[in-house]
Amino acid sequence: MSKLVLKNIGKSYGSFDAVKDFSLELASGEFVSLLGPSGCGKTTTLRMIAGFMPPTSGTIEVDGKVISSPAGVVPPEKRGMSMIFQSYAIWPNMTVGQNVGFGLEVRKLPRAEIERRVDRILEVVQMAPLKGRYPAELSGGQQQRVALARAIVVEPEVLLLDEPLSNLDANLREEMRFEIRRLHDEFKITTVYVTHDQSEAMVTSDRIVVMNKGRIEQIDPPHILYGRPKSRFVAGFIGRTNFVDRDGATYSIRPQSIGLSPARPLANAVEADIVGRSYLGEYWDYLAKPLGDTKPLRVSTGPNVLFDVGQRVWLEIDPTAMVRVE
Amino acid sequence: MAVAQPALDLPMRRTRIGGWDPTWLLWIAIIAVLLFLVVSPFVYLVLTSFQAERTGAFTLQNYATAYGRARYIDALFNSLQLGAGAALLAGVLAVPLAWGCSRTNMPGRGFVRMLVLATFITPPYTGAVAWILLAGPNAGWLNRIYVMLTGAEAGPFNIYSFPGLVVVIALYSFPYIFIFTSAALELVSSEMEDAANILGAGTWRTMRKVTLPLAIPAILGGLIICFLEAIALFASPAMIAIPARFNVVTTQLFQFFGNPVRVEVAAAYAMPLLGVTVLLALVQRLMTHRKSFATLTGKGGERRPIDLGSGRWLMFAYAMFVASLSVFLPYIFLVQAAFAKAWGRGFAWDNLSFRNFHFVLFEHATAAQSVWNAFLYAGVAATAGVILTLGVAYIVARKLVPFGGLLAFLCVAPFVIPGVVLAIGFYAAYAPPPLALYGTAMILILAFTTRFLPIGYVNASAAIRSINPEMEEAVRVLGGSRLTALRRVVAPLLKRNLLGAWLLIFIPATRELSSAIFLYGPNTKVVSVMIFDMSEEGNFEYLAALALILQILTLPLLYIGQRALGRDFMLRRTTT
Ligand SMILES: Nc1ncnc2c1ncn2[C@@H]1O[C@H](COP(=O)(O)OP(=O)(O)OP(=O)(O)O)[C@@H](O)[C@H]1O
Ligand SMILES: [Mg+2]
């Protein structure tokens, strides 16, 4: 049975629909990301799941029980979920240990049991030596670990994360992505993860929900989203791509699916001029304009494939790599 | 497919818009309290001004009486002149001090700020009494020193005059302008001044063209506040203007309120004062909240003090001159009077005595009681005020109810009601049956609560806004209720701020006179009223002792407030 089911959830402010007709089912232990540009309704959706915001339409079920419908909502404190906030929301008046133990305390566990569980989870997130510290004495990354420990230690029905890494610097952000996935694999908690960073979503998630203007564009595992985007929006939002119009339809083709050679290849080739290039270390990014066309295509090649701007080349397009998008 | 039935084992909460919600109960309770504290006295004030005495029938007679005599009209104009004079003089005192303290390398800046604070916490009536000792005709110390030095017949100073009153009021209201101006100057970054310097402007030109214009709205705002203080003040005019045989609005109101009480006429006569205050308070808001001013609140950047060269000592001398007038001289002679058998006999060993303190503390029938009353009422009012404003600030910030803005408005509205006017409103609303609160502790507590509601609200809402709502959401999502969140997270985080807000209400409430003088009864005299009575009786030695006791009792409170909120908490937080 599905752990968390959202059926046709909607939220409107007056005549503006922040989220519309949102349906999603999460299997137990699944990790799903909500991905989309700023303002597309990710936070709104997450807060409706948490119970901080009553949806204007639709129902939410956990383990088959309705916790939210237009008839009424279960308040957040009765939903048995956990949430990690963008600001971490670590309570500055409590030590690390008190922060992490709070949820267990509310659940009225015996003192000794609380201590045992807090110690164990702090061990897992590598924060055990800092148990007695106050949040003001922690770095951003350490605060993040406390927030994770605090959310996981209560073994929630569902774990919700709202852009938890956006306040960290680039290196730490990358490290924490793997950390979050590692914790998920260890505790198998059903997770909804909100982000606008596609690589974050791809590294962590089993499935990704791509949202645009309050609606779902596509729900699929990362490799399918990338390889088989259904819409122009998804193709453009996940990774870099080219759109080509052919026979009245639009197709997406990834820059690395286009071959670049000085001599004419066997088939499916068009002649083009290199009009721009940039070097990104791991690859070259070329702009090649097919003869008679106005729009250049992006083509990426290995770091050792060299062409000059102005050079005449051949583009080789693999028809199986072309994905029709609407 | 049918929508699944809600499972019954989880408590659901209905959330239909427009439907019944328990938070409405809270909203109704708070609005009821605010109606009682703020709206009803105001409504009664206006109604009463149109009602005939006893019968309560509609009449315009009160207005005819209130404005029927030339001297009543004169009092109105006297107030305007007094306000303008006091505000301008206060500006002259305050602006250079504020600039010196916040932008230059004047020596002793911390010391000067401390003296401004000392001025600020001196009640106007204490200052007025001190200046009667200093500049009373003949016996005043300044006159006696003048005579001694020059051998003249009589000294030139006479506090019992219009200029005398202007000086005394300006001396004890200039801290308002100081507060506003230094707050604005502290937002002008050195980079802005450097930008002007690089373009070839010298120090003075930069100050005139850049720094000063940026501070002008704040200075004008401070002047308006001073003006409003001056026209609303009761104590100093009563002590100085009445002997000098002229009236201002507040003293005239007091006379309408004397035997027999003509509250209807007083209400009618209070209208211009109320109107001017509302109008100017709005102007002040607009001015200090203008966009050009708001843009300054960005990153202030680094601020280097301007090097005044040897001029810094001149600046310091000016600051000491101002402080002599507001702090040094007044307190020297207050202390002398408090420890003297007779203040006129001067500084002699055989004139030294502790009798005055002993008398007011242990022998006087009601003096010690009045101190206790003031602290008790102020304490209850501050507690009620903090709880109420905190509640309102919380539900407004968290949008728990619709129309939260209305609640916020009611909390800050008393800012535009002068103390004497507020007291007349309270009298009109709650002195008659069924409540018949006149002369009770309750009416004083209610009036104090209302009077200081704006200070409480401004602080409470700043405090609440400093807490990220996610802090509370984190509690709730982990299974804690809203109350748990308030108890375990919000309250601990706000402790200091709440203590500060409490003190900012409590300290001025202990010395509040202008509303108390209209509402106290034989058993509910507060220390400010006691001091006022003693001044009328001419008991300056007892009075000085009592006034010093009040000041000394304030010191530990100040210390606590500074520990909790920083050195400048009194100067920073009292005004918005
Ligand atoms: N109280 C409100 N009143 C009106 N519109 C709102 C309100 N709250 C949010 N919105 C709108 O709803 C939309 C969705 O907001 P939401 O916060 O869910 O976006 P998001 O996807 O989380 O964006 P971001 O990545 O910037 O956090 C936005 O267009 C926002 O302007
Ligand atoms: Mg968001």
Side-chain angles (χ1 to χ4, degrees):
Chain A
M1 188 173 64
S2 299
K3 183 76 191 173
L4 174 68
V5 181
L6 311 182
K7 281 186 196 152
N8 310 102
I9 292 292
K11 175 79 191 175
S12 35
Y13 297 104
S15 63
F16 172 72
D17 293 320
V19 174
K20 195 160 190 208
D21 208 14
F22 189 105
S23 296
L24 175 68
E25 292 193 19
L26 269 80
S28 189
E30 199 181 9
F31 194 122
V32 170
S33 286
L34 307 185
L35 176 64
S38 183
C40 71
K42 306 178 297 283
T43 299
T44 307
T45 308
L46 201 70
R47 292 174 64 80
M48 288 194 288
I49 299 174
F52 291 121
M53 221 181 242
T56 21
S57 59
T59 58
I60 303 175
E61 294 171 15
V62 173
D63 288 331
K65 286 180 207 134
V66 176
I67 56 164
S68 176
S69 77
V73 293
V74 174
E77 59 266 31
K78 299 270 166 39
R79 295 192 175 195
M81 299 183 180
S82 280
M83 183 158 173
I84 293 177
F85 298 86
Q86 201 166 354
S87 67
Y88 314 141
I90 302 293
W91 304 303
N93 55 320
M94 303 183 200
T95 62
V96 168
Q98 289 166 337
N99 261 284
V100 175
F102 184 88
L104 301 172
E105 219 180 289
V106 171
R107 284 163 174 72
K108 302 213 163 58
L109 264 64
R111 197 72 249 169
E113 177 67 10
I114 293 178
E115 288 304 312
R116 203 183 58 75
R117 293 204 195 182
V118 168
D119 288 341
R120 165 155 144 60
I121 195 79
L122 286 178
E123 210 61 67
V124 172
V125 298
Q126 298 152 25
M127 289 287 293
L130 305 182
K131 187 180 174 188
R133 288 238 193 132
Y134 280 93
E137 304 156 351
L138 300 177
S139 72
Q142 290 168 333
Q143 292 185 19
Q144 179 69 76
R145 285 166 194 275
V146 176
L148 276 169
R150 187 177 71 180
I152 291 172
V153 76
V154 296
E155 295 169 6
E157 303 281 346
V158 180
L159 175 63
L160 308 170
L161 301 96
D162 189 1
E163 313 224 9
L165 306 183
S166 58
N167 285 333
L168 300 178
D169 67 47
N171 287 333
L172 203 52
R173 199 150 54 203
E174 211 149 311
E175 183 191 323
M176 288 306 292
R177 276 175 205 168
F178 292 104
E179 181 78 9
I180 286 173
R181 182 67 210 194
R182 179 179 73 81
L183 288 170
H184 176 261
D185 291 342
E186 184 166 348
F187 293 92
K188 303 268 185 295
I189 299 171
T190 314
T191 303
V192 182
Y193 186 101
V194 160
T195 178
H196 60 253
D197 180 330
Q198 49 157 314
S199 41
E200 218 169 278
M202 293 178 102
V203 167
T204 52
S205 316
D206 299 320
R207 284 191 299 156
I208 297 176
V209 180
V210 181
M211 295 179 67
N212 183 27
K213 295 187 184 147
R215 291 168 182 275
I216 295 178
E217 291 272 343
Q218 188 171 352
I219 308 178
D220 267 314
H223 65 279
I224 297 189
L225 270 186
Y226 188 84
R228 295 278 147 206
K230 281 190 188 143
S231 66
R232 203 186 158 104
F233 176 83
V234 174
F237 193 75
I238 312 276
R240 303 164 316 132
T241 199
N242 298 292
F243 292 111
V244 292
D245 293 320
R246 205 161 279 176
D247 319 324
T250 305
Y251 295 83
S252 151
I253 177 141
R254 302 287 176 189
Q256 67 276 22
S257 303
I258 301 177
L260 205 54
S261 52
R264 181 180 182 132
L266 295 177
N268 301 316
V270 289
E271 229 176 337
D273 287 326
I274 301 284
V275 293
R277 63 175 199 182
S278 39
Y279 179 63
L280 288 133
E282 287 160 29
Y283 57 90
W284 273 101
D285 197 12
Y286 288 104
L287 281 178
K289 191 155 65 102
L291 299 187
D293 227 335
T294 49
K295 207 174 58 175
L297 295 175
R298 297 177 84 166
V299 182
S300 30
T301 69
N304 299 321
V305 183
L306 273 179
F307 294 98
D308 286 321
V309 172
Q311 197 172 339
R312 179 71 45 94
V313 293
W314 287 91
L315 301 180
E316 184 186 3
I317 299 175
D318 175 5
T320 59
M322 291 193 26
V323 181
R324 185 173 168 165
V325 293
E326 58 209 46
Chain B
M1 192 196 88
V3 173
Q5 280 304 303
L8 292 176
D9 51 347
L10 284 170
M12 304 275 278
R13 188 177 287 170
R14 251 183 276 282
T15 52
R16 296 316 308 242
I17 295 148
W20 176 256
D21 188 293
T23 47
W24 277 91
L25 224 76
L26 183 70
W27 194 82
I28 290 170
I30 287 183
I31 201 114
V33 172
L34 289 177
L35 284 176
F36 187 78
L37 287 176
V38 180
V39 179
S40 140
F42 181 78
V43 169
Y44 271 95
L45 176 78
V46 177
L47 282 185
T48 306
S49 75
F50 292 109
Q51 282 175 343
E53 209 185 330
R54 270 187 285 279
T55 64
F58 175 85
T59 176
L60 291 174
Q61 186 53 44
N62 302 321
Y63 285 86
T65 312
Y67 305 104
R69 288 199 196 171
R71 59 191 180 94
Y72 298 164
I73 306 288
D74 285 346
L76 291 175
F77 285 102
N78 286 340
S79 273
L80 291 181
Q81 284 176 26
L82 178 67
L88 287 179
L89 180 56
V92 171
L93 298 175
V95 173
L97 253 58
W99 184 69
C101 281
S102 48
R103 296 297 293 117
T104 75
N105 65 343
M106 177 180 82
R109 293 189 296 272
F111 181 55
V112 173
R113 278 183 169 279
M114 215 182 79
L115 291 169
V116 174
L117 176 64
T119 310
F120 193 56
I121 61 160
T122 304
Y125 45 83
T126 304
V129 166
W131 271 88
I132 290 172
L133 299 180
L134 281 170
N138 305 323
W141 282 102
L142 293 180
N143 284 323
R144 280 154 70 176
I145 293 167
Y146 181 86
V147 168
M148 214 168 68
L149 292 181
T150 62
E153 278 287 298
F157 304 106
N158 181 5
I159 196 69
Y160 296 116
S161 63
F162 190 83
L165 184 55
V166 168
V167 169
V168 169
I169 293 181
L171 279 177
Y172 294 96
S173 54
F174 83 81
Y176 288 104
I177 302 182
F178 179 91
I179 292 166
F180 276 82
T181 310
S182 33
L185 287 176
E186 277 166 17
L187 294 174
V188 181
S189 74
S190 294
E191 283 160 22
M192 294 186 204
E193 294 179 336
D194 288 351
N197 277 327
I198 286 169
L199 294 173
T203 304
W204 290 109
R205 205 180 150 83
T206 304
M207 194 180 114
R208 231 181 45 220
K209 294 274 174 188
V210 178
T211 319
L212 211 56
L214 285 170
I216 284 279
I219 295 174
L220 288 178
L223 286 174
I224 289 177
I225 296 292
C226 254
F227 178 90
L228 294 179
E229 269 294 300
I231 63 173
L233 207 56
F234 169 72
S236 330
M239 291 175 176
I240 290 170
I242 293 175
R245 298 182 180 285
F246 68 92
N247 260 322
V248 294
V249 172
T250 50
T251 56
Q252 187 59 55
L253 278 172
F254 188 59
Q255 283 159 22
F256 286 134
F257 226 77
N259 284 329
V261 177
R262 285 185 288 167
V263 64
E264 296 81 9
V265 179
Y269 193 70
M271 291 302 156
L273 181 57
L274 186 62
V276 168
T277 311
V278 170
L279 198 74
L280 284 180
L282 286 179
V283 171
Q284 192 264 345
R285 285 252 113 169
L286 287 181
M287 216 147 48
T288 44
H289 290 245
R290 253 183 15 186
K291 199 160 78 240
S292 63
F293 191 63
T295 51
L296 288 176
T297 58
K299 299 238 164 18
E302 170 220 23
R303 280 187 306 278
R304 268 169 289 102
I306 297 166
D307 189 353
L308 292 180
S310 52
R312 51 205 274 261
W313 291 104
L314 200 69
M315 199 69 217
F316 182 69
Y318 184 69
M320 288 303 106
F321 168 71
V322 174
S324 309
L325 298 185
S326 69
V327 181
F328 297 140
L329 288 172
Y331 276 97
I332 289 173
F333 291 101
L334 269 182
V335 170
Q336 189 269 339
F339 287 100
K341 288 175 183 149
W343 70 274
R345 281 168 54 200
F347 296 86
W349 282 114
D350 64 348
N351 193 24
L352 192 68
S353 148
F354 287 97
R355 232 197 66 226
N356 302 321
F357 287 94
H358 191 266
F359 179 81
V360 296
L361 285 177
F362 304 111
E363 293 166 36
H364 192 285
T366 51
Q369 179 68 32
S370 75
V371 175
W372 168 246
N373 283 349
F375 278 68
L376 180 67
Y377 304 161
V380 178
T383 308
V386 165
I387 291 173
L388 184 62
T389 54
L390 187 71
V392 173
Y394 184 79
I395 67 181
V396 169
R398 297 290 178 265
K399 301 196 171 60
L400 294 189
V401 298
F403 309 115
L406 177 65
L407 301 182
F409 171 77
L410 288 179
C411 282
V412 295
F415 178 70
V416 300
I417 307 178
V420 284
V421 179
L422 184 80
I424 295 169
F426 263 82
Y427 184 94
Y430 303 127
L435 292 179
L437 292 179
Y438 180 66
T440 62
M442 185 53 101
I443 200 168
L444 287 168
I445 290 169
L446 292 175
F448 289 179
T449 307
T450 306
R451 186 136 159 70
F452 299 106
L453 221 43
I455 297 185
Y457 187 76
V458 167
N459 283 279
S461 99
I464 294 280
R465 270 183 281 127
S466 73
I467 294 191
N468 188 334
E470 291 185 349
M471 291 279 177
E472 291 161 66
E473 292 171 354
V475 171
R476 301 195 61 201
V477 83
L478 284 174
S481 63
R482 195 178 273 285
L483 270 178
T484 312
L486 283 173
R487 198 165 45 83
R488 295 288 302 273
V489 174
V490 178
L493 291 181
L494 288 185
K495 239 175 4 205
R496 283 158 174 268
N497 286 304
L498 291 187
L499 174 66
W502 191 88
L503 286 173
L504 287 172
I505 297 176
F506 182 77
I507 294 175
T510 54
R511 44 204 55 208
E512 167 70 9
L513 176 66
S514 38
S515 54
I517 193 83
F518 289 82
L519 299 171
Y520 78 95
N523 298 321
T524 58
K525 215 177 237 192
V526 288
V527 63
S528 55
V529 175
M530 193 76 233
I531 290 176
F532 182 69
D533 283 355
M534 286 178 168
S535 84
E536 292 203 309
E537 293 155 11
N539 281 326
F540 288 116
E541 294 83 4
Y542 297 154
L543 187 164
L546 194 55
L548 284 180
I549 289 170
L550 179 59
Q551 290 306 86
I552 288 164
L553 288 175
T554 308
L555 291 180
L557 299 171
L558 270 183
Y559 176 76
I560 294 170
Q562 295 189 337
R563 286 294 298 270
L565 293 174
R567 288 259 308 274
D568 275 351
F569 90 106
M570 211 55 205
L571 291 183
R572 274 186 204 290
R573 308 259 196 140
T574 304
T575 49
T576 28

